[in-house]
Amino acid sequence: MSPVKLETVSSALPAEEAVSAPRLRRFASVLFASVLAALVGMTLLPHDKYLRYQALSDPATPRAYWIYERIHFDPTPIDIAFIGTSRTGRSINTKRLQEDLARRGIKAHAANLYIYEDGRNMHYALAKELLEHRKVKLLVLEMTEWEDRKPHRNFVFLADPQDIIFAPLFVNLRYFSDLARLPGRQVDLFLETELNALGLRKPTFVPPPYEGPNRDDSEYIVTRDGKKHYFDMVRTREQMEALRRMQEASITPPLLPPSLSWLEYRLPRYYVERILKLAAQHGTKVVFLYVPRYGGPDFPPPYRRYAGRVPLINPGSRVQDYRFWDEVTHMNWNGAKAMTDYVADQLAALPYLAHGRAAAR
Amino acid sequence: MLFNSYAFLFGFLPLALAIFYGLRARGHRAASVPFLALASVAFYAYWKPVDTFILVGSVVFNYFIARLMSASSVARARSLLTLGVVADLGLLLYFKYLDFLLGNIAWLAGATWNAPRIVMPIGISFFTFTQIAYLVDCYRSRTSERDFGNYALFVTIFPHLIAGPIIHHAQMRPQFARLRSQAIEPDAILLGIVIFVIGLAKKVLLADNLVNAADAVFNAADHGARLSAALAWVGTIAYTLQIYFDFSGYSDMAIGLGLLFGVRLPLNFDSPYRSKSIIEFWRRWHMTLSAWLRDYIYIPLGGNRHGEFQRLRNVFVTFFLGGIWHGAGWTFIAWGALHGTYVVINHVSRKLRPAREAPSAVLAAGKQFGTLLVVMVAWVFFRAKTIAGATHLLASMALLGPSRSTVSVPDVSLYFWIVLGTAIALFAPATHQLTRYTAKLNEPLKVSSEPLLGSLARRAPVLGASAATAILCGCLFAAALARIWRPAIFNYFNY
């Protein structure tokens, strides 16, 4: 059926003839092809990856830039790398860990490469950057009492373009959002890189002078305003219990029946497998470190999938003393010391750092 | 949901278009109208679902008031009109002005006022004004919309719901009737795509690249920071361009979206910074608001019917109220009063020295520059958070400030955007000229089939159905998509 004109016949005007439906389709096709070509072109723009890591500048406590500096600019070996969320950041002090190991005759350098918030794809992005550029003996991957279904909301800031484009599409809540944002990120970083080269860049965030090979955030953090915030507060048992109840009320239980957990948790499992594969390719051993919450189970249920393949360091109930906790998911400095010491004990018992033991002798 | 968000561009819009055209393709053209109303309410609910009750309540209330008026005697209709307008203004007063009013009363009384945290529903000024106009029109004509779906769509149609253009029922009613019975012409869809992309590019590529500089300078002024004259001017120019591209970009997007759904919305901007007088400026800037203020404030106040003094008084009052409409704050009042004064002076000067028929190019340029200058001065009040901040910035612009600033513009690329934005605002054709869009229902949409390069060679660029236009729009759309990976908000959502 031919379209009915709204008003008088516009074909009376020679250069303004009515648009036919096929012509509209042609126009839309050319437009769509142009959009696609332009987006692909933008995605291919090169940039300085260090600027990419600076772009993920958490307003309060940026640290991605340091991870990049530690991997690329600091020749200090990274024998043990911790990758996880702020739980790992607040519970492992690498300086103390190194000292603990040294007392046991193991000379090893550790780096805590945690990044705020959950999302296994972010752990993959960090592991990839690390393992492709440094020889790492042991990768300690955080495990908690639950698996996060969702991808990390800042994955698009740090990941390589191909890891965003070829990320699993199925049950990936941020796939299209990340994909749509990628060309913009690439253009911004390209312009930043070029302006930087010309000396015209005016960054919103300037990394501080290098903070050394052990940037630990377990005793205190330094916020952007330069203030130190110590984690030395000890709450009462009642306070911790109240916080635990609140936190437990906010936990979203599995949405699908156990038989469909493969579907619900496809994304974190996919990325853990990729990390394990990547580590194997680079000759890096992997262990899981259970970093519980206050009042959490003594054993992490998600570990069952990897039992027999990957060792687990499990502090169990040793860190459940209420005096070890700043709040439900983050330890205070007392807790971090206890956790670090326990982890050092366990690492020393593993065979992976044997070369370090020999070197120390 | 912002028009420049992924949720809108890749979620709401394709889905709404698919269902809308799916219904029509299956012969349910009539059903596509109420669907559009429902989709519009869903669009609104995305912001803050609870505010939807206010919108829907307001729509239902005004619909019934109008229905009652159309079946009433003159006296009763007048009472109903008063009731409707008072209720509409009461809603606006409560959500938009109560904090401000009580705060000032408390200040005058020497008391402290703890604001009750009233959060204004988005777009309330626009849907309230649209409905007040409707009630007045119904009272005058003694007719009203019978079909509630049509009325609901008229008020809520999502392209205009949040930030205009302000529409009239008389413009929409015949279009809704056609939507129910006739196919949507491909011309409208094609023009809709082109105009939407132009608007998106204006907003995202121009306005959003200027916002950081404007914010930096105005925030510094509000905090009393040292501002050099150069920086004060840079900030003011950046804001002058930002607000134009932000709002006219939004209006273009609204028009484009309207066309995609077969509805023509009125023009809202016509290259306002090319105006050679402040009166002309107000014929080109936010044209639907200017017309609304004229029809529903200036004329009811008496217009020019009671002598020159009364006319000037009415002009001033109209602009003063226009300033208050934009926001509850002394800076908006100052902005409205300033424009009221400008327009009064313009009228008086015209009376004293009638304009020459063909002024010289130098005189015309001088008039344009002078108009732009006073508009920029007024924008300082509009953007500043405090009168003190505005006067501080104006003092710096007038070389009364320090020679060095304690703040700086965020990025050197700003100067590129200022030069580009200025060139476009002052020299490029307006969107409706580029696309030959007309909102007049008795004029056909004239989609050009002329090649873009050919029209550029004639110095009469026109964006039509050519492949070059499609490629240009594709590139602009891609660039806009790239720019919104960190989205910003529309300015006029706040008013």
Side-chain angles (χ1 to χ4, degrees):
Chain A
M1 191 172 65
S2 63
V4 179
K5 304 299 296 172
L6 261 179
E7 297 299 338
T8 54
V9 182
S10 55
S11 56
L13 301 152
E16 291 146 7
E17 64 209 36
V19 179
S20 64
R23 198 155 179 218
L24 174 63
R25 276 197 287 275
R26 259 201 314 277
F27 181 89
S29 305
V30 174
L31 187 139
F32 181 73
S34 310
V35 172
L36 207 60
L39 292 177
V40 169
M42 290 175 192
T43 304
L44 294 174
L45 288 172
H47 64 262
D48 177 355
K49 206 188 252 188
Y50 183 32
L51 294 180
R52 193 201 297 174
Y53 273 67
Q54 289 174 39
L56 178 55
S57 54
D58 184 285
T61 51
R63 73 186 320 277
Y65 68 90
W66 176 82
I67 293 175
Y68 190 87
E69 290 168 354
R70 181 68 179 91
I71 294 172
H72 291 272
F73 304 149
D74 186 344
T76 310
I78 304 177
D79 301 306
I80 308 165
F82 289 85
I83 289 184
T85 67
S86 53
R87 286 198 195 192
T88 298
R90 292 284 294 277
S91 58
I92 296 296
N93 185 285
T94 56
K95 215 168 182 177
R96 187 179 177 96
L97 183 93
Q98 288 174 190
E99 289 163 6
D100 283 351
L101 289 173
R103 276 196 291 278
R104 291 163 178 81
I106 297 172
K107 186 175 188 304
H109 295 277
N112 197 337
L113 309 181
Y114 83 92
I115 224 112
Y116 290 95
E117 300 185 24
D118 300 304
R120 280 294 193 200
N121 54 349
M122 182 63 100
H123 299 167
Y124 170 73
L126 292 170
K128 185 183 169 202
E129 190 64 25
L130 172 71
L131 297 177
E132 284 184 350
H133 295 92
R134 298 298 291 261
K135 184 70 190 161
V136 178
K137 286 180 188 162
L138 182 63
L139 179 64
V140 184
L141 195 57
E142 176 186 294
M143 179 161 277
T144 65
E145 69 283 353
W146 69 306
E147 294 173 284
D148 191 356
R149 312 162 181 85
K150 294 190 294 269
H152 198 286
R153 70 186 175 100
N154 289 329
F155 182 62
V156 70
F157 277 88
L158 289 198
D160 290 331
Q162 63 270 29
D163 291 327
I164 295 170
I165 296 165
F166 300 112
L169 172 61
F170 190 48
V171 205
N172 183 349
L173 295 178
R174 290 191 191 275
Y175 179 79
F176 287 109
S177 162
D178 285 353
L179 190 66
R181 296 170 75 190
L182 177 62
R185 182 196 84 168
Q186 295 292 98
V187 171
D188 273 9
L189 289 172
F190 170 75
L191 292 174
E192 293 256 308
T193 304
E194 295 307 308
L195 285 172
N196 206 32
L198 295 168
L200 297 173
R201 179 169 169 261
K202 215 165 180 187
T204 50
F205 169 70
V206 181
Y210 184 56
E211 293 145 298
N214 301 93
R215 207 200 113 160
D216 291 312
D217 293 341
S218 47
E219 186 179 5
Y220 60 83
I221 52 164
V222 182
T223 43
R224 282 178 88 164
D225 53 13
K227 287 183 184 160
K228 274 186 180 177
H229 302 265
Y230 284 89
F231 301 120
D232 51 4
M233 184 174 65
V234 178
R235 295 179 191 273
T236 63
R237 187 194 299 272
E238 290 70 32
Q239 283 175 328
M240 282 310 302
E241 284 300 313
L243 287 172
R244 181 183 62 79
R245 284 192 294 275
M246 269 170 57
Q247 204 263 349
E248 284 177 355
S250 70
I251 293 173
T252 309
L255 300 170
L256 298 176
S259 59
L260 290 175
S261 70
W262 62 270
L263 180 66
E264 184 168 355
Y265 299 104
R266 181 173 183 270
L267 199 77
R269 291 173 188 179
Y270 169 86
Y271 277 108
V272 169
E273 291 299 337
R274 285 197 70 176
I275 293 170
L276 296 179
K277 195 174 166 192
L278 194 66
Q281 284 168 356
H282 289 87
T284 300
K285 301 292 181 190
V286 180
V287 296
F288 284 118
L289 169 63
Y290 177 37
V291 191
R293 63 177 165 83
Y294 175 72
D298 285 349
F299 181 84
Y303 177 69
R304 291 197 185 95
R305 296 181 56 76
Y306 309 99
R309 281 201 292 156
V310 186
L312 172 73
I313 298 175
N314 182 6
S317 58
R318 289 174 192 83
V319 290
Q320 288 298 342
D321 188 315
Y322 71 91
R323 286 166 296 193
F324 285 169
W325 294 85
D326 185 44
E327 30 88 4
V328 182
T329 51
H330 295 120
M331 292 177 188
N332 60 20
W333 177 223
N334 286 334
K337 283 189 284 191
M339 180 77 165
T340 302
D341 294 346
Y342 176 75
V343 170
D345 272 345
Q346 298 299 304
L347 290 180
L350 291 171
Y352 311 139
L353 302 170
H355 180 71
R357 194 188 301 273
R361 282 197 202 108
Chain B
M1 199 177 325
L2 296 167
F3 290 166
N4 60 327
S5 67
Y6 293 128
F8 180 80
L9 293 170
F10 297 124
F12 178 85
L13 183 59
L15 191 66
L17 283 170
I19 297 174
F20 180 79
Y21 281 99
L23 284 171
R24 298 179 71 80
R26 281 164 179 73
H28 305 300
R29 283 179 186 157
S32 67
V33 173
F35 162 74
L36 197 50
L38 279 176
S40 298
V41 173
F43 169 84
Y44 189 82
Y46 184 86
W47 294 98
K48 197 174 161 199
V50 71
D51 286 353
T52 313
F53 291 108
I54 296 165
L55 172 69
V56 172
S58 172
V59 168
V60 171
F61 172 78
N62 283 286
Y63 171 78
F64 281 109
I65 289 286
R67 292 299 300 140
L68 286 172
M69 272 201 301
S70 63
S72 301
S73 63
V74 176
R76 186 155 179 263
R78 197 176 178 83
S79 303
L80 286 165
L81 173 67
T82 308
L83 172 68
V85 172
V86 167
D88 284 337
L89 290 178
L91 195 70
L92 198 59
L93 185 79
Y94 175 76
F95 282 108
K96 195 165 177 175
Y97 301 105
L98 194 64
D99 273 359
F100 176 69
L101 282 174
L102 295 180
N104 278 282
I105 290 168
W107 179 78
L108 282 173
T112 51
W113 167 246
N114 294 318
R117 282 180 157 210
I118 299 169
V119 181
M120 186 176 78
I122 203 152
I124 191 171
S125 304
F126 286 95
F127 68 70
T128 302
F129 267 36
T130 299
Q131 295 190 101
I132 288 175
Y134 172 71
L135 290 182
V136 174
D137 291 347
C138 287
Y139 172 74
R140 285 173 182 164
S141 66
R142 308 303 302 286
T143 57
S144 68
E145 175 64 63
R146 285 170 183 272
D147 186 304
F148 180 73
N150 272 358
Y151 179 72
L153 181 59
F154 152 65
V155 180
T156 63
I157 185 168
F158 76 88
H160 100 111
L161 177 58
I162 306 297
I166 299 169
I167 53 179
H168 288 271
H169 184 245
Q171 294 165 323
M172 294 296 121
R173 190 178 189 177
Q175 300 197 70
F176 295 162
R178 284 198 191 100
L179 271 184
R180 288 177 186 274
S181 59
Q182 298 179 10
I184 294 169
E185 49 188 353
D187 308 54
I189 299 169
L190 195 148
L191 267 192
I193 294 170
V194 174
I195 293 174
F196 178 78
V197 171
I198 292 173
L200 185 68
K202 274 182 174 179
K203 158 67 185 160
V204 171
L205 300 180
L206 292 168
D208 289 352
N209 276 317
L210 292 159
V211 68
N212 286 343
D215 284 354
V217 172
F218 277 89
N219 291 343
D222 282 323
H223 289 97
R226 291 160 60 92
L227 285 170
S228 68
L231 194 68
W233 277 101
V234 165
T236 305
I237 292 169
Y239 183 67
T240 301
L241 294 169
Q242 182 216 331
I243 192 165
Y244 169 57
F245 289 118
D246 188 284
F247 194 19
S248 74
Y250 178 88
S251 296
D252 287 348
M253 278 189 265
I255 289 169
L257 290 167
L259 286 171
L260 288 176
F261 289 92
V263 173
R264 292 198 213 178
L265 296 177
L267 289 176
N268 226 8
F269 288 87
D270 184 13
S271 304
Y273 291 157
R274 286 200 225 162
S275 305
K276 293 179 181 62
S277 72
I278 202 74
I279 292 172
E280 186 186 351
F281 174 81
W282 278 105
R283 286 190 191 127
R284 291 167 173 258
W285 178 276
H286 204 170
M287 294 149 73
T288 56
L289 177 67
S290 301
W292 195 99
L293 293 172
R294 180 197 64 211
D295 294 343
Y296 301 101
I297 295 182
Y298 174 71
I299 292 173
L301 279 173
N304 60 1
R305 294 192 297 273
H306 306 292
E308 192 58 20
F309 177 78
Q310 300 290 342
R311 179 168 85 110
L312 296 176
R313 184 205 65 182
N314 294 339
V315 165
F316 183 84
V317 169
T318 302
F319 277 95
F320 185 80
L321 293 175
I324 293 174
W325 176 84
H326 278 86
W330 289 108
T331 50
F332 293 110
I333 292 171
W335 177 79
L338 210 48
H339 270 286
T341 308
Y342 290 164
V343 177
V344 165
I345 291 170
N346 201 171
H347 277 297
V348 171
S349 70
R350 276 189 181 182
K351 196 92 176 169
L352 296 175
R353 283 181 60 186
R356 287 186 221 164
E357 277 191 14
S360 68
V362 175
L363 184 62
K367 283 182 167 186
Q368 187 179 339
F369 177 75
T371 304
L372 192 51
L373 193 66
V374 295
V375 166
M376 284 166 67
V377 168
W379 282 141
V380 171
F381 285 94
F382 193 85
R383 170 61 182 81
K385 285 200 169 64
T386 60
I387 294 285
T391 51
H392 178 57
L393 188 62
L394 286 170
S396 293
M397 288 165 70
L399 302 172
L400 298 173
S403 57
R404 291 188 177 216
S405 300
T406 49
V407 289
S408 58
V409 292
D411 203 319
V412 287
S413 64
L414 163 76
Y415 298 105
F416 167 77
W417 296 112
I418 284 184
V419 170
L420 181 67
T422 305
I424 292 173
L426 295 183
F427 304 110
T431 304
H432 66 96
Q433 292 165 327
L434 272 173
T435 56
R436 298 181 184 170
Y437 171 74
T438 173
K440 292 175 184 161
L441 299 180
N442 57 356
E443 290 178 9
L445 293 172
K446 303 169 187 174
V447 179
S448 171
S449 56
E450 184 182 8
L452 178 59
L453 291 177
S455 67
L456 274 172
R458 286 191 297 107
R459 291 190 172 186
V462 59
L463 298 173
S466 65
T469 299
I471 292 169
L472 178 68
C473 286
C475 292
L476 282 176
F477 187 70
L481 282 185
R483 181 65 181 75
I484 60 174
W485 81 290
R486 290 172 174 164
I489 198 159
F490 283 102
N491 251 323
Y492 255 72
F493 284 8
N494 300 321
Y495 306 126

